[in-house]
Amino acid sequence: MNVASLAPLAVVLPFLGAAWAFVLIRHPRAQRRVSLGTLTVTLALEVWVLAHVWQSGPIAVELGGWAPPFGIVMVADQFSSLLLVVSSAVSLAVLAYATGQGAADGEESGPVSVFHPTYLILVAGVSNAFLAGDLFNLYVGFEILLTASYVLMTLGGTGSRIRAGITYVVVSVVSSLLFLIAIAMIYGATGTVNLADLAIKLGELDPGTQHLLHVLLLVAFGIKAAVFPLSFWLPDSYPTAPAPVTAVFAGLLTKVGVYAIVRTETLLFPTDHFNSVLLVVALLTMLVGILGAIAQTDIKRMLSFTLVSHIGYMIFGVALSSVIGLAATIFYVIHHITIQTSLFMVTGLVERRGGNSSIMRLGGLAKLSPILAVLYFIPAMNLAGIPPFSGFLGKLGLLQAGVADGSPLAYAVVVGGVVASLLTLLVVARVWNRVFWRSAADAEDPDAVLLSTAPDASGKESMRALRSSKHVDATEGRFSGENEVPILPKMMVYSTMGLVVLGVAMTVFAGPLFDLSQDAATSMLERTAYIEAVLGLGAGNP
C-alpha cells in the first residue's frame, strides 16, 4: 500500500469521528469511545506516515485528481509528520483527561456533550494546517481550528468565558483577515497559492513587493503564534476556559502559528532580510512574557505568560537561518507542546484538589497529594531547562546556534535566553514552594476544602469535622455536603501521568529526536526535496 495516499486520513478521520460523535450526542459513553478510538487510530496512522517520510523524504498527495499547482495538494515532510504525531498524542491525552473529568462530574447531559465532536474538529483543523500544501488550504485549516476553539472556549457560558471568547474572536478575525489579504495579494502577484510553486515564483518578484508580502504573512502568523507585541490577547483568553481546553490550546494553537512562520521563513522567503527584526522580536517575547509571569498569582495566568515567553525561543532559532538553529527550534517545539500541555493538565488537577488555582490560597499539596507534586515537579523543571531534561537540551542547542552566528544581536538574544530561563526557574519554584511545600495553614485565605483535608503533624489527613456532619458518597467518590472534597478521577491522573512520561521519554530519546529534527531542518533549508515532491523532479532546480 502507498503510504502517501493515507496522509489525508489524518484530517478525514477526525472529521468522520466528529460526525459520528455528534450523532451519538445523547449517548455519552458511546460518544467517548468513538472520540478516543478515532484519535487512537489517527495517531497510529500518523506514526506510520512519519516512519515512511523519515526513510523516503517528503510525500505529496493530489486531491480530486487535479495536479499542482492548480489542484489541492497535501504534503507530509519530516517536520509536518513529526508535529502530526506529537499533536495527536497530546490531543489523545487531553481527550482522556476531559473524559475522566466529564464522567466524574456527571456533565454528559449538559451543553458539554458537544465537546467531543467540537474537539475532533479542532484536531482536524490542526492536522489540515500541518499538511496544507497551499496557502488557501492553510487558511482553511486555521479557520477550522479557530471556529472549533470559539465553541470550546465558551463552554459553560459563564461571563468570564464569554468576555475572553469575544477578545479571542476579535483578535483571531483580525489575524485571519490579514492572512486572507496576503493570500489575495500573493495570488495577484504570482498567479498561484501553491507553496512549492510560490517557493520559485516569489523570488522572481521585485524586492519591494516581496518585503510587503513577507511582512503581511509574518504579522498574520505572529498574532496566531502570540509573539510580542502581538501576544496581549493570550493571557486573558486561555485561563478562563475549562482545564482540558486550556491545556490543548496552550499546547497546540500557538504552535500552528509557529509552524506557519517556519514555512514562511524557510520555503517562501529564504532570505535574511528580516532576521534582525525576528531576533529583536524573539528577545522581547522571551523577556516580556517571563516578566509578566513573575507578576502573576494565579497558576494558569502564570503558565500563560510563560507560554508567550517560550515562543520567543522558537522564533530565535528561526531567525538564525542555520541548520542547528532550525533543528533546535523543531526540537523545542516538540518539547514545548508536551511540557506546556502537561503543566496545564496538572494545574487542572491542582484546582480540583485544592479548590482553586491561586498561589496565595494553596499550600500543603505535597503531603495531601504526593503524586500530584511529582506530576508538577518533573515538567516544571523541564520547562525551566534544568539538566538533563529535554528543555535544557533544546535551549542549549538554541544558545549554541546563537553563539555560532556570532552577531552582536544574536549574542544579546543568547543572554536574554539565559535570563528568561533563570526567571522561568524562579517562577515554577515559587509555585512549588507555595502550593506544594508550605503548610496549608500558612496560605492566605485558603479554600475550606484545602484546610479540611490538610495533613496534621503525623502526616494523616484530618477529616473528623467533615465526617461528623457529612456522609461519604462512594458513587461520586467525594464527601457530599456543604464542603465537597473531590477525589481525583483516575483517568485524569493517568492521562496526565502519560504525558509527563512522554516528556521524560523525549529526554531519554533526545539523540534520535534531535537527529530527526536536524534532518528536517536540512531538508527545509535546502527546499529541493519539498518542491520536487509536489511539482516533480527537476522543479527544485529551475
Side-chain angles (χ1 to χ4, degrees), residues 453-517:
T453 59
D456 58 20
S458 65
K460 298 180 180 179
E461 293 183 5
S462 176
M463 297 187 178
R464 285 174 296 183
L466 279 171
R467 287 179 178 141
S468 64
S469 59
K470 301 172 180 68
H471 65 278
V472 177
D473 185 339
T475 302
E476 291 296 325
R478 66 184 107 183
F479 288 101
S480 61
E482 184 179 353
N483 291 323
E484 293 185 337
V485 183
I487 302 300
L488 299 180
K490 290 182 179 180
M491 185 171 288
M492 293 180 70
V493 175
Y494 290 158
S495 58
T496 305
M497 191 181 301
L499 210 53
V500 171
V501 170
L502 179 60
V504 174
M506 289 184 179
T507 300
V508 176
F509 299 101
L513 184 57
F514 200 87
D515 288 342
L516 177 58
S517 300

Short mmCIF file of all heavy atoms in Angstrom, two decimals, residues 453-517:
data_model
loop_
_atom_site.label_atom_id
_atom_site.label_comp_id
_atom_site.label_asym_id
_atom_site.label_seq_id
_atom_site.Cartn_x
_atom_site.Cartn_y
_atom_site.Cartn_z
N THR A 453 -8.81 19.07 54.59
CA THR A 453 -8.06 17.86 54.24
C THR A 453 -6.56 18.02 54.46
O THR A 453 -5.78 17.19 54.03
CB THR A 453 -8.29 17.50 52.76
OG1 THR A 453 -7.87 18.59 51.95
CG2 THR A 453 -9.75 17.20 52.50
N ALA A 454 -6.16 19.10 55.13
CA ALA A 454 -4.72 19.32 55.34
C ALA A 454 -4.16 18.30 56.32
O ALA A 454 -4.79 17.98 57.33
CB ALA A 454 -4.50 20.73 55.89
N PRO A 455 -2.96 17.76 56.05
CA PRO A 455 -2.37 16.77 56.95
C PRO A 455 -2.02 17.38 58.29
O PRO A 455 -1.62 18.54 58.38
CB PRO A 455 -1.11 16.32 56.20
CG PRO A 455 -1.30 16.77 54.80
CD PRO A 455 -2.15 17.98 54.86
N ASP A 456 -2.15 16.59 59.36
CA ASP A 456 -1.71 17.05 60.66
C ASP A 456 -0.24 16.71 60.85
O ASP A 456 0.44 16.29 59.92
CB ASP A 456 -2.58 16.45 61.77
CG ASP A 456 -2.56 14.93 61.73
OD1 ASP A 456 -1.62 14.38 61.14
OD2 ASP A 456 -3.49 14.31 62.29
N ALA A 457 0.25 16.87 62.04
CA ALA A 457 1.68 16.67 62.29
C ALA A 457 2.14 15.26 62.01
O ALA A 457 3.30 15.01 61.68
CB ALA A 457 2.02 17.05 63.74
N SER A 458 1.24 14.32 62.14
CA SER A 458 1.61 12.93 61.89
C SER A 458 1.56 12.56 60.43
O SER A 458 1.88 11.45 60.05
CB SER A 458 0.67 12.00 62.68
OG SER A 458 -0.67 12.12 62.19
N GLY A 459 1.10 13.51 59.56
CA GLY A 459 1.03 13.25 58.14
C GLY A 459 -0.29 12.66 57.70
O GLY A 459 -0.46 12.33 56.53
N LYS A 460 -1.27 12.49 58.62
CA LYS A 460 -2.57 11.93 58.26
C LYS A 460 -3.56 13.06 58.04
O LYS A 460 -3.53 14.08 58.71
CB LYS A 460 -3.06 11.00 59.36
CG LYS A 460 -2.14 9.81 59.60
CD LYS A 460 -2.69 8.93 60.71
CE LYS A 460 -1.78 7.74 60.96
NZ LYS A 460 -2.29 6.88 62.05
N GLU A 461 -4.48 12.86 57.11
CA GLU A 461 -5.47 13.88 56.83
C GLU A 461 -6.48 13.97 57.97
O GLU A 461 -6.98 12.96 58.45
CB GLU A 461 -6.19 13.57 55.51
CG GLU A 461 -5.29 13.68 54.31
CD GLU A 461 -6.05 13.45 53.02
OE1 GLU A 461 -7.27 13.31 53.10
OE2 GLU A 461 -5.42 13.41 51.97
N SER A 462 -6.76 15.18 58.39
CA SER A 462 -7.74 15.41 59.45
C SER A 462 -9.09 15.72 58.83
O SER A 462 -9.28 16.79 58.27
CB SER A 462 -7.26 16.57 60.33
OG SER A 462 -8.23 16.88 61.30
N MET A 463 -10.03 14.78 58.95
CA MET A 463 -11.34 14.96 58.34
C MET A 463 -12.47 14.72 59.35
O MET A 463 -13.61 14.48 58.97
CB MET A 463 -11.51 14.01 57.15
CG MET A 463 -10.54 14.25 56.02
SD MET A 463 -10.93 13.23 54.60
CE MET A 463 -9.67 13.78 53.46
N ARG A 464 -12.14 14.77 60.62
CA ARG A 464 -13.15 14.44 61.61
C ARG A 464 -14.33 15.40 61.56
O ARG A 464 -15.47 15.01 61.73
CB ARG A 464 -12.52 14.45 63.01
CG ARG A 464 -11.64 13.22 63.28
CD ARG A 464 -10.93 13.33 64.58
NE ARG A 464 -9.97 14.45 64.57
CZ ARG A 464 -9.16 14.73 65.58
NH1 ARG A 464 -9.19 14.00 66.68
NH2 ARG A 464 -8.32 15.75 65.49
N ALA A 465 -14.02 16.69 61.30
CA ALA A 465 -15.10 17.66 61.26
C ALA A 465 -16.05 17.37 60.10
O ALA A 465 -17.26 17.49 60.23
CB ALA A 465 -14.53 19.08 61.11
N LEU A 466 -15.46 16.95 58.97
CA LEU A 466 -16.28 16.62 57.82
C LEU A 466 -17.13 15.39 58.10
O LEU A 466 -18.32 15.34 57.82
CB LEU A 466 -15.41 16.38 56.59
CG LEU A 466 -14.92 17.62 55.85
CD1 LEU A 466 -13.89 17.19 54.81
CD2 LEU A 466 -16.06 18.36 55.22
N ARG A 467 -16.49 14.36 58.68
CA ARG A 467 -17.19 13.10 58.88
C ARG A 467 -18.30 13.23 59.90
O ARG A 467 -19.26 12.48 59.88
CB ARG A 467 -16.19 12.03 59.31
CG ARG A 467 -15.29 11.59 58.15
CD ARG A 467 -14.30 10.54 58.59
NE ARG A 467 -13.49 10.10 57.48
CZ ARG A 467 -12.19 9.82 57.55
NH1 ARG A 467 -11.55 10.00 58.68
NH2 ARG A 467 -11.54 9.39 56.50
N SER A 468 -18.15 14.17 60.82
CA SER A 468 -19.16 14.32 61.84
C SER A 468 -20.45 14.92 61.31
O SER A 468 -21.51 14.76 61.89
CB SER A 468 -18.63 15.21 62.98
OG SER A 468 -18.39 16.52 62.49
N SER A 469 -20.38 15.62 60.18
CA SER A 469 -21.56 16.30 59.66
C SER A 469 -21.93 15.91 58.26
O SER A 469 -22.92 16.38 57.73
CB SER A 469 -21.33 17.82 59.69
OG SER A 469 -20.20 18.16 58.91
N LYS A 470 -21.15 15.04 57.65
CA LYS A 470 -21.40 14.69 56.24
C LYS A 470 -21.24 13.20 56.09
O LYS A 470 -20.67 12.52 56.93
CB LYS A 470 -20.43 15.43 55.32
CG LYS A 470 -20.55 16.95 55.47
CD LYS A 470 -19.46 17.62 54.71
CE LYS A 470 -19.59 19.12 54.87
NZ LYS A 470 -19.29 19.56 56.24
N HIS A 471 -21.71 12.66 54.98
CA HIS A 471 -21.54 11.24 54.71
C HIS A 471 -20.73 11.06 53.45
O HIS A 471 -20.62 11.95 52.63
CB HIS A 471 -22.92 10.56 54.55
CG HIS A 471 -23.68 11.03 53.36
ND1 HIS A 471 -24.43 12.19 53.36
CD2 HIS A 471 -23.81 10.50 52.11
CE1 HIS A 471 -25.00 12.37 52.18
NE2 HIS A 471 -24.64 11.36 51.40
N VAL A 472 -20.15 9.88 53.32
CA VAL A 472 -19.33 9.57 52.15
C VAL A 472 -20.20 9.00 51.06
O VAL A 472 -20.93 8.04 51.28
CB VAL A 472 -18.22 8.57 52.51
CG1 VAL A 472 -17.43 8.20 51.28
CG2 VAL A 472 -17.29 9.17 53.56
N ASP A 473 -20.12 9.60 49.87
CA ASP A 473 -20.85 9.12 48.70
C ASP A 473 -19.86 8.34 47.84
O ASP A 473 -19.03 8.90 47.15
CB ASP A 473 -21.42 10.30 47.92
CG ASP A 473 -22.30 9.84 46.76
OD1 ASP A 473 -22.15 8.69 46.33
OD2 ASP A 473 -23.14 10.64 46.31
N ALA A 474 -19.93 7.02 47.91
CA ALA A 474 -18.95 6.18 47.21
C ALA A 474 -19.10 6.27 45.71
O ALA A 474 -18.15 6.12 44.95
CB ALA A 474 -19.10 4.73 47.66
N THR A 475 -20.32 6.53 45.25
CA THR A 475 -20.55 6.60 43.80
C THR A 475 -19.84 7.80 43.20
O THR A 475 -19.16 7.71 42.19
CB THR A 475 -22.06 6.70 43.51
OG1 THR A 475 -22.71 5.57 44.08
CG2 THR A 475 -22.31 6.74 42.02
N GLU A 476 -19.97 8.95 43.86
CA GLU A 476 -19.35 10.17 43.34
C GLU A 476 -17.86 10.23 43.70
O GLU A 476 -17.12 11.00 43.12
CB GLU A 476 -20.06 11.40 43.91
CG GLU A 476 -21.47 11.60 43.39
CD GLU A 476 -21.50 11.87 41.92
OE1 GLU A 476 -20.58 12.53 41.41
OE2 GLU A 476 -22.45 11.41 41.25
N GLY A 477 -17.44 9.44 44.71
CA GLY A 477 -16.04 9.47 45.09
C GLY A 477 -15.66 10.75 45.79
O GLY A 477 -14.57 11.26 45.63
N ARG A 478 -16.58 11.28 46.63
CA ARG A 478 -16.29 12.53 47.32
C ARG A 478 -17.14 12.61 48.58
O ARG A 478 -18.10 11.86 48.75
CB ARG A 478 -16.57 13.72 46.42
CG ARG A 478 -18.05 13.89 46.09
CD ARG A 478 -18.27 15.02 45.12
NE ARG A 478 -18.61 14.49 43.82
CZ ARG A 478 -18.79 15.23 42.76
NH1 ARG A 478 -18.64 16.51 42.82
NH2 ARG A 478 -19.09 14.68 41.60
N PHE A 479 -16.81 13.53 49.47
CA PHE A 479 -17.69 13.80 50.59
C PHE A 479 -18.81 14.70 50.08
O PHE A 479 -18.55 15.70 49.42
CB PHE A 479 -16.95 14.53 51.73
CG PHE A 479 -16.00 13.65 52.46
CD1 PHE A 479 -14.65 13.71 52.20
CD2 PHE A 479 -16.46 12.76 53.41
CE1 PHE A 479 -13.76 12.90 52.87
CE2 PHE A 479 -15.57 11.95 54.09
CZ PHE A 479 -14.21 12.01 53.82
N SER A 480 -20.04 14.35 50.35
CA SER A 480 -21.15 15.18 49.91
C SER A 480 -21.59 16.07 51.06
O SER A 480 -21.61 15.66 52.21
CB SER A 480 -22.31 14.30 49.43
OG SER A 480 -22.77 13.50 50.48
N GLY A 481 -21.96 17.25 50.73
CA GLY A 481 -22.36 18.21 51.73
C GLY A 481 -21.94 19.59 51.34
O GLY A 481 -21.68 19.89 50.17
N GLU A 482 -21.84 20.47 52.31
CA GLU A 482 -21.53 21.86 52.01
C GLU A 482 -20.14 22.02 51.43
O GLU A 482 -19.91 22.77 50.50
CB GLU A 482 -21.68 22.70 53.28
CG GLU A 482 -21.46 24.20 53.05
CD GLU A 482 -21.63 24.99 54.31
OE1 GLU A 482 -22.05 24.40 55.34
OE2 GLU A 482 -21.36 26.20 54.29
N ASN A 483 -19.16 21.32 52.00
CA ASN A 483 -17.79 21.37 51.51
C ASN A 483 -17.43 20.04 50.88
O ASN A 483 -17.11 19.08 51.59
CB ASN A 483 -16.81 21.68 52.66
CG ASN A 483 -16.96 23.09 53.17
OD1 ASN A 483 -17.20 24.02 52.39
ND2 ASN A 483 -16.85 23.26 54.49
N GLU A 484 -17.49 19.93 49.58
CA GLU A 484 -17.17 18.68 48.90
C GLU A 484 -15.66 18.54 48.72
O GLU A 484 -14.96 19.50 48.42
CB GLU A 484 -17.86 18.63 47.55
CG GLU A 484 -19.37 18.54 47.66
CD GLU A 484 -20.02 18.36 46.29
OE1 GLU A 484 -19.38 18.73 45.30
OE2 GLU A 484 -21.15 17.86 46.25
N VAL A 485 -15.18 17.34 48.92
CA VAL A 485 -13.75 17.06 48.75
C VAL A 485 -13.61 16.06 47.62
O VAL A 485 -13.72 14.87 47.82
CB VAL A 485 -13.15 16.49 50.05
CG1 VAL A 485 -11.64 16.29 49.88
CG2 VAL A 485 -13.43 17.42 51.22
N PRO A 486 -13.39 16.53 46.40
CA PRO A 486 -13.35 15.62 45.26
C PRO A 486 -12.12 14.73 45.27
O PRO A 486 -11.03 15.16 45.63
CB PRO A 486 -13.34 16.56 44.06
CG PRO A 486 -12.74 17.82 44.57
CD PRO A 486 -13.16 17.93 46.01
N ILE A 487 -12.34 13.50 44.89
CA ILE A 487 -11.23 12.58 44.67
C ILE A 487 -10.81 12.71 43.20
O ILE A 487 -11.66 12.74 42.31
CB ILE A 487 -11.65 11.13 44.98
CG1 ILE A 487 -12.13 11.02 46.42
CG2 ILE A 487 -10.50 10.18 44.71
CD1 ILE A 487 -11.10 11.40 47.45
N LEU A 488 -9.53 12.81 42.95
CA LEU A 488 -9.06 12.98 41.58
C LEU A 488 -9.41 11.75 40.76
O LEU A 488 -8.99 10.64 41.09
CB LEU A 488 -7.55 13.21 41.56
CG LEU A 488 -7.05 14.46 42.30
CD1 LEU A 488 -5.54 14.55 42.20
CD2 LEU A 488 -7.70 15.72 41.75
N PRO A 489 -10.18 11.90 39.67
CA PRO A 489 -10.54 10.75 38.83
C PRO A 489 -9.29 10.08 38.27
O PRO A 489 -8.34 10.75 37.85
CB PRO A 489 -11.38 11.38 37.72
CG PRO A 489 -11.91 12.65 38.30
CD PRO A 489 -10.83 13.14 39.21
N LYS A 490 -9.30 8.76 38.27
CA LYS A 490 -8.12 8.02 37.83
C LYS A 490 -7.73 8.34 36.40
O LYS A 490 -6.55 8.45 36.08
CB LYS A 490 -8.38 6.52 37.98
CG LYS A 490 -8.44 6.04 39.42
CD LYS A 490 -8.65 4.54 39.50
CE LYS A 490 -8.68 4.06 40.95
NZ LYS A 490 -8.89 2.59 41.05
N MET A 491 -8.74 8.50 35.50
CA MET A 491 -8.41 8.77 34.10
C MET A 491 -7.71 10.12 33.94
O MET A 491 -6.81 10.26 33.10
CB MET A 491 -9.65 8.69 33.23
CG MET A 491 -9.36 8.83 31.75
SD MET A 491 -10.77 8.50 30.69
CE MET A 491 -10.91 6.72 30.85
N MET A 492 -8.10 11.11 34.75
CA MET A 492 -7.43 12.40 34.70
C MET A 492 -5.97 12.27 35.15
O MET A 492 -5.06 12.84 34.54
CB MET A 492 -8.17 13.42 35.56
CG MET A 492 -9.56 13.78 35.06
SD MET A 492 -10.38 15.00 36.13
CE MET A 492 -9.41 16.47 35.79
N VAL A 493 -5.76 11.51 36.22
CA VAL A 493 -4.41 11.34 36.74
C VAL A 493 -3.55 10.53 35.77
O VAL A 493 -2.41 10.90 35.47
CB VAL A 493 -4.45 10.65 38.12
CG1 VAL A 493 -3.03 10.35 38.61
CG2 VAL A 493 -5.18 11.53 39.13
N TYR A 494 -4.11 9.43 35.26
CA TYR A 494 -3.33 8.56 34.37
C TYR A 494 -2.97 9.26 33.06
O TYR A 494 -1.87 9.07 32.53
CB TYR A 494 -4.11 7.28 34.09
CG TYR A 494 -4.23 6.36 35.28
CD1 TYR A 494 -5.24 5.41 35.35
CD2 TYR A 494 -3.33 6.43 36.34
CE1 TYR A 494 -5.36 4.56 36.45
CE2 TYR A 494 -3.44 5.59 37.44
CZ TYR A 494 -4.45 4.66 37.49
OH TYR A 494 -4.56 3.83 38.58
N SER A 495 -3.90 10.03 32.50
CA SER A 495 -3.60 10.74 31.25
C SER A 495 -2.52 11.79 31.47
O SER A 495 -1.63 11.97 30.63
CB SER A 495 -4.87 11.37 30.69
OG SER A 495 -5.46 12.27 31.62
N THR A 496 -2.60 12.50 32.60
CA THR A 496 -1.55 13.47 32.92
C THR A 496 -0.21 12.77 33.12
O THR A 496 0.83 13.23 32.64
CB THR A 496 -1.92 14.25 34.20
OG1 THR A 496 -3.21 14.85 34.04
CG2 THR A 496 -0.90 15.33 34.49
N MET A 497 -0.26 11.64 33.82
CA MET A 497 0.96 10.87 34.04
C MET A 497 1.56 10.41 32.71
O MET A 497 2.78 10.45 32.52
CB MET A 497 0.63 9.66 34.92
CG MET A 497 1.84 8.91 35.44
SD MET A 497 1.34 7.48 36.46
CE MET A 497 0.39 8.31 37.73
N GLY A 498 0.70 9.98 31.79
CA GLY A 498 1.19 9.54 30.48
C GLY A 498 1.90 10.64 29.74
O GLY A 498 2.95 10.41 29.10
N LEU A 499 1.37 11.87 29.81
CA LEU A 499 2.01 12.99 29.12
C LEU A 499 3.32 13.38 29.79
O LEU A 499 4.29 13.76 29.12
CB LEU A 499 1.04 14.18 29.07
CG LEU A 499 1.19 15.10 27.86
CD1 LEU A 499 1.12 14.32 26.55
CD2 LEU A 499 0.12 16.19 27.89
N VAL A 500 3.36 13.30 31.11
CA VAL A 500 4.61 13.57 31.82
C VAL A 500 5.67 12.54 31.43
O VAL A 500 6.85 12.88 31.21
CB VAL A 500 4.38 13.58 33.34
CG1 VAL A 500 5.72 13.64 34.09
CG2 VAL A 500 3.49 14.75 33.75
N VAL A 501 5.27 11.28 31.33
CA VAL A 501 6.19 10.23 30.90
C VAL A 501 6.68 10.48 29.48
O VAL A 501 7.86 10.27 29.16
CB VAL A 501 5.52 8.84 31.01
CG1 VAL A 501 6.37 7.76 30.34
CG2 VAL A 501 5.27 8.49 32.47
N LEU A 502 5.78 10.96 28.60
CA LEU A 502 6.19 11.30 27.24
C LEU A 502 7.25 12.39 27.25
O LEU A 502 8.21 12.34 26.47
CB LEU A 502 4.97 11.73 26.42
CG LEU A 502 5.24 12.15 24.97
CD1 LEU A 502 5.85 11.00 24.18
CD2 LEU A 502 3.94 12.64 24.30
N GLY A 503 7.08 13.37 28.13
CA GLY A 503 8.10 14.42 28.25
C GLY A 503 9.44 13.87 28.70
O GLY A 503 10.49 14.29 28.21
N VAL A 504 9.42 12.93 29.63
CA VAL A 504 10.66 12.29 30.08
C VAL A 504 11.27 11.45 28.95
O VAL A 504 12.50 11.42 28.77
CB VAL A 504 10.40 11.42 31.32
CG1 VAL A 504 11.65 10.64 31.70
CG2 VAL A 504 9.94 12.28 32.49
N ALA A 505 10.40 10.79 28.18
CA ALA A 505 10.90 9.98 27.06
C ALA A 505 11.62 10.84 26.04
O ALA A 505 12.57 10.37 25.39
CB ALA A 505 9.73 9.25 26.40
N MET A 506 11.21 12.10 25.88
CA MET A 506 11.90 12.98 24.96
C MET A 506 13.32 13.27 25.43
O MET A 506 14.20 13.56 24.61
CB MET A 506 11.13 14.29 24.81
CG MET A 506 9.84 14.16 24.03
SD MET A 506 9.01 15.73 23.78
CE MET A 506 7.59 15.18 22.83
N THR A 507 13.54 13.18 26.73
CA THR A 507 14.90 13.32 27.25
C THR A 507 15.70 12.05 27.00
O THR A 507 16.85 12.09 26.55
CB THR A 507 14.85 13.62 28.76
OG1 THR A 507 14.13 14.84 28.98
CG2 THR A 507 16.24 13.75 29.33
N VAL A 508 15.07 10.91 27.25
CA VAL A 508 15.75 9.62 27.08
C VAL A 508 16.14 9.41 25.62
O VAL A 508 17.23 8.93 25.31
CB VAL A 508 14.86 8.48 27.59
CG1 VAL A 508 15.52 7.12 27.32
CG2 VAL A 508 14.58 8.64 29.08
N PHE A 509 15.23 9.76 24.72
CA PHE A 509 15.46 9.56 23.28
C PHE A 509 15.78 10.87 22.58
O PHE A 509 15.42 11.07 21.42
CB PHE A 509 14.24 8.90 22.64
CG PHE A 509 13.92 7.54 23.21
CD1 PHE A 509 12.90 7.40 24.14
CD2 PHE A 509 14.66 6.43 22.85
CE1 PHE A 509 12.60 6.16 24.68
CE2 PHE A 509 14.37 5.19 23.38
CZ PHE A 509 13.34 5.05 24.30
N ALA A 510 16.46 11.76 23.28
CA ALA A 510 16.78 13.07 22.71
C ALA A 510 17.70 12.95 21.50
O ALA A 510 17.58 13.74 20.55
CB ALA A 510 17.42 13.96 23.77
N GLY A 511 18.58 11.96 21.50
CA GLY A 511 19.50 11.79 20.38
C GLY A 511 18.79 11.53 19.07
O GLY A 511 18.94 12.30 18.11
N PRO A 512 17.99 10.45 18.97
CA PRO A 512 17.25 10.21 17.72
C PRO A 512 16.29 11.35 17.37
O PRO A 512 16.13 11.68 16.19
CB PRO A 512 16.48 8.92 18.02
CG PRO A 512 17.26 8.25 19.09
CD PRO A 512 17.84 9.35 19.92
N LEU A 513 15.66 11.96 18.40
CA LEU A 513 14.73 13.04 18.12
C LEU A 513 15.44 14.26 17.55
O LEU A 513 14.95 14.91 16.61
CB LEU A 513 13.98 13.42 19.40
CG LEU A 513 12.88 14.47 19.27
CD1 LEU A 513 11.83 14.03 18.26
CD2 LEU A 513 12.23 14.74 20.63
N PHE A 514 16.65 14.54 18.07
CA PHE A 514 17.39 15.68 17.53
C PHE A 514 17.94 15.36 16.14
O PHE A 514 18.02 16.24 15.28
CB PHE A 514 18.54 16.08 18.46
CG PHE A 514 19.03 17.49 18.23
CD1 PHE A 514 18.41 18.55 18.87
CD2 PHE A 514 20.07 17.76 17.36
CE1 PHE A 514 18.83 19.85 18.65
CE2 PHE A 514 20.50 19.04 17.14
CZ PHE A 514 19.88 20.10 17.78
N ASP A 515 18.30 14.10 15.90
CA ASP A 515 18.73 13.71 14.55
C ASP A 515 17.61 13.92 13.54
O ASP A 515 17.83 14.42 12.42
CB ASP A 515 19.17 12.25 14.54
CG ASP A 515 20.49 12.03 15.25
OD1 ASP A 515 21.23 13.02 15.44
OD2 ASP A 515 20.77 10.88 15.64
N LEU A 516 16.39 13.54 13.93
CA LEU A 516 15.24 13.75 13.06
C LEU A 516 15.00 15.23 12.85
O LEU A 516 14.71 15.68 11.73
CB LEU A 516 14.00 13.09 13.66
CG LEU A 516 12.68 13.27 12.90
CD1 LEU A 516 12.80 12.75 11.48
CD2 LEU A 516 11.54 12.58 13.63
N SER A 517 15.15 16.01 13.90
CA SER A 517 14.97 17.47 13.78
C SER A 517 16.02 18.07 12.86
O SER A 517 15.72 18.97 12.06
CB SER A 517 15.06 18.11 15.18
OG SER A 517 14.07 17.62 16.04
#
